[in-house]
Amino acid sequence: MTLTVYGCDSRHTYEWKRHCRWKEVSRLVIERINRLQVELPPSPYADANAAAAVQELLGGKYGEMSTLNNYMYQSFNFRERKKLKPFYDLVSSITAEEFGHVELVSHTINMVLTGSTHPGDPNSAPLKEGVNKRNSYFFIANAQTSMPGDSMGRAWTGDNVFSSGNLVLDLLHNFFLECGARTHKMRVYEMTDHPTARAMIGYLLVRGGVHVLAYAKALEIATGVDVKKLIPIPDLSNNSFETARKYEAMGIGNKLYTFSPNDYKDIVLIWNGQNPLTGAKLEVIQGSPQGAPMPDLSEVPEEFAPGISQEDFIEIARRLQKNAGL
């Protein structure tokens, strides 16, 4: 998923608003692209317990839902954005990337869960496998898909959001949030050898390292203190993680995306110079990653999901054609 935010001048007519992108901000519009940020390999087998562990990277205190909502509210609530535009641009751009990370982790969980049970007569208890799994919510509440919660089934909470209004304090919080998130990814990587989960974690280890460095550089500019000297906390090198190496080799760890065709250009005032680990040149990309096709989840009849029979499908198709005048 890619998120792009456009401003809208309230003086324009409704018809004009429907067909243009605007400069002056009075409301927000989200443009969503139906692609994952990176391709996920097919899941060769189901592992509900691995999916439960990966949930921590989605809805845990240091999960992608936390990074997204922290940066999103900080960008919404940002003061003096004109004077401090490079910092506003940085937080806003990373916010957009985190939307895609939430989606990427969610699809990973869905793929790892696929095949956990099999269709059968309701009286044969076709969902019995769920009794012995760590997270029964997968089988009872979510039809074997991701949930906005952590590895123990606790729901994500807005209490995890930190938006103090103080620029340096927020940047410092974000730096440590990314460090904590990286630590959790490293640990979940070591908990499961499921190839789909590890591929996703490898990618996020690289992208999370970018965010750690970006906030460190922003703090250095804001305070004059070389926060990079705190790195590694933990080690930002991904050499030990097999599935991260190819992304490092592609230079993904040196790129920071604006996730907008025209806006947030001033992150180049922060994201420049060399990668302190590799010496490679840091690069701002105006726009989004190319992305990869979105996975398509198959039906799970034993969960009554999606609950559309072949007869229902034919009738729905007939109604759609009728409504379209075909």
Side-chain angles (χ1 to χ4, degrees), residues 41-52 54 105-116 144 192 194-198 200 297:
S43 176
Y45 56 87
D47 189 339
N49 287 336
V54 174
V105 179
S106 295
H107 278 286
T108 299
I109 293 167
N110 296 344
M111 294 170 71
V112 173
L113 282 170
T114 296
S116 295
Q144 298 176 50
T192 175
H194 193 286
T196 305
R198 279 196 165 183
M200 177 274 296
L297 289 180

Side-chain angles (χ1 to χ4, degrees), residues 179-218:
C179 289
R182 177 173 174 80
T183 304
H184 283 198
K185 291 180 181 72
M186 294 164 66
R187 291 171 178 171
V188 174
Y189 186 98
E190 293 185 331
M191 287 177 71
T192 175
D193 57 2
H194 193 286
T196 305
R198 279 196 165 183
M200 177 274 296
I201 297 171
Y203 176 77
L204 290 187
L205 282 171
V206 176
R207 294 308 301 161
V210 169
H211 297 168
V212 170
L213 180 58
Y215 285 126
K217 291 173 71 66

Side-chain angles (χ1 to χ4, degrees), residues 142-164:
N142 290 53
Q144 298 176 50
T145 54
S146 64
M147 54 180 286
D150 65 14
S151 59
M152 300 303 291
R154 290 179 293 246
W156 185 86
T157 171
D159 291 340
N160 293 330
V161 172
F162 185 91
S163 178
S164 72

